[in-house]
Amino acid sequence: MEWLVRQVKDEVLKVSGCVEGAMPFRYLGIPINPSKLSKKECQIMADNILDKIRCFGTRKLSYGGRLSLVNFVLTGLYSYWANIFLIPNGVLRKIDAYCRNYLWDGSSDYSRAHMVKWEWVCSPKREGGLGVKYSLDWNVAAIGKLVWWIYTKPDSLWVKRVNQICIKGVDWASYQPKTHMGWNLKTICKVKDLMQPSYSMGQWTANPKGYRIHEGYHWIRTKQQPIGWYKLVWHSRCLPKHRFLIWLIMRNALNVKDKLFRHGICLDDLCCLCGTASETGVHLFHQCVYSQGLVAGMASFIHIPVPSANAII
């Protein structure tokens, strides 16, 4: 039997002009492997992110510049992988750490305390965050696309193989993998059970046109109440570094004297401008007499109205 298989394979290679290879191999920078990707193989993705961070100019960029690179470059790398593979959670946590450290310190290593929790950073801007994708939830949402494919049964060789060899006519909504099944199918089934409430009769209820990864991501993540100062911070005419600074002020994350005094760094917490009250973020930018006079003078010079502090807060 083996000689017959070998003969057919040789004929196919001769007719097609192809060359016989071996697993694993790399295609478009991605390791192709018939089994589960190991952490060592996924290290290629982590190394690519580190190389990008080293090429970004590190600490020379402002917070706003780093945020743009995290949102559009670093998260794009693992999003591309997540659309193809099931990535181990340990690798995703490492990638989150790289992005978090780069945002706050301009390097991939942890060297200073982060000013805002990563959970808040990964919240949408309308909910008081920065809109960075949380890699663990995004990976689950990407796996959700495979769940939807099995529901809808498109003309795909992978879907046909899963239905004929693994599911074998069992209702996908109630299907549970057997113990000898692989890690990939078991992970897909876990996501299927997690997202079961979002399906009705095998259809994705959030969008009648079909499943979208970003819709699945927003369905999975923990939602917060919208904030009232969203438009104030993310104004289209505001520079990125100014947006980030205003966002830190509204999140009360600046290292003002009130915080430094509690940590024993300053001798007192009095405002460095007026010297009459504790220097908090709200006081420094909205309540300080000196700051109010400075803002009023600038507004009068450029002829624009100044909203009251209570209206902003």
Side-chain angles (χ1 to χ4, degrees):
M1 188 66 181
E2 291 183 2
W3 67 269
L4 181 59
V5 173
R6 183 65 187 179
Q7 183 180 2
V8 173
K9 182 171 64 174
D10 291 341
E11 291 178 358
V12 171
L13 293 174
K14 183 179 180 180
V15 172
S16 63
C18 297
V19 178
E20 181 179 0
M23 293 283 188
F25 63 92
R26 293 180 64 177
Y27 178 71
L28 297 178
I30 301 295
I32 305 300
N33 197 329
S35 60
K36 171 187 173 182
L37 282 182
S38 64
K39 291 184 178 180
K40 183 178 180 180
E41 291 171 324
C42 290
Q43 188 62 34
I44 299 173
M45 173 177 54
D47 292 341
N48 288 339
I49 291 178
L50 287 176
D51 292 339
K52 292 292 184 182
I53 290 176
R54 295 189 183 104
C55 295
F56 283 160
T58 60
R59 295 176 177 83
K60 295 181 181 180
L61 290 175
S62 65
Y63 282 127
R66 294 178 202 163
L67 175 63
S68 298
L69 290 173
V70 168
N71 270 332
F72 299 110
V73 179
L74 299 184
T75 57
L77 288 174
Y78 71 73
S79 295
Y80 174 64
W81 279 59
N83 290 336
I84 304 174
F85 301 113
L86 308 184
I87 305 174
N89 289 342
V91 177
L92 294 174
R93 292 190 183 95
K94 182 183 294 186
I95 293 172
D96 268 342
Y98 289 158
C99 295
R100 182 170 61 245
N101 295 335
Y102 175 71
L103 176 64
W104 295 116
D105 195 39
S107 67
S108 60
D109 300 323
Y110 179 86
S111 58
R112 59 180 296 184
H114 303 146
M115 303 174 74
V116 180
K117 292 194 302 183
W118 190 243
E119 289 77 7
W120 278 111
V121 172
C122 292
S123 299
K125 294 177 180 178
R126 291 184 179 274
E127 298 178 10
L130 293 177
V132 177
K133 295 183 182 69
Y134 187 50
S135 62
L136 290 173
D137 288 347
W138 186 264
N139 191 46
V140 173
I143 298 173
K145 190 172 185 178
L146 303 179
V147 175
W148 180 71
W149 279 354
I150 299 176
Y151 266 123
T152 56
K153 297 180 175 63
D155 188 13
S156 169
L157 180 61
W158 177 83
V159 174
K160 292 179 180 179
R161 181 180 184 278
V162 170
N163 279 285
Q164 294 178 4
I165 297 180
C166 301
I167 301 177
K168 297 179 180 180
V170 179
D171 181 33
W172 173 234
S174 59
Y175 173 79
Q176 294 298 325
K178 298 180 181 179
T179 55
H180 68 274
M181 294 294 181
W183 173 83
N184 291 338
L185 184 61
K186 290 180 180 179
T187 304
I188 294 173
C189 289
K190 289 180 181 179
V191 175
K192 183 254 302 181
D193 296 337
L194 173 66
M195 304 184 71
Q196 194 68 41
S198 64
Y199 281 89
S200 177
M201 303 295 293
Q203 295 296 321
W204 175 248
T205 56
N207 188 345
K209 295 182 179 180
Y211 181 85
R212 300 292 185 271
I213 295 180
H214 71 275
E215 294 173 350
Y217 173 76
H218 288 295
W219 186 88
I220 293 168
R221 69 177 181 81
T222 303
K223 299 175 179 59
Q224 307 290 339
Q225 291 295 328
I227 44 89
W229 41 265
Y230 162 74
K231 293 183 179 180
L232 173 67
V233 176
W234 305 107
H235 196 277
S236 59
R237 296 182 181 179
C238 190
L239 296 177
K241 63 179 181 180
H242 296 162
R243 294 176 189 173
F244 201 99
L245 177 61
I246 299 173
W247 178 78
L248 289 175
I249 295 171
M250 304 308 292
R251 290 245 66 97
N252 195 25
L254 292 179
N255 290 325
V256 292
K257 291 182 69 175
D258 176 61
K259 289 185 177 181
L260 299 178
F261 178 72
R262 290 200 303 266
H263 290 87
I265 299 175
C266 293
L267 298 177
D268 60 75
D269 63 345
L270 294 179
C271 176
C272 61
L273 297 178
C274 66
T276 59
S278 177
E279 184 183 286
T280 62
V282 174
H283 169 81
L284 188 62
F285 291 95
H286 303 297
Q287 299 173 352
C288 178
V289 177
Y290 184 88
S291 297
Q292 289 179 353
L294 184 63
V295 172
M298 294 176 61
S300 176
F301 179 76
I302 59 179
H303 304 289
I304 62 172
V306 180
S308 64
N310 293 331
I312 297 176
I313 300 172

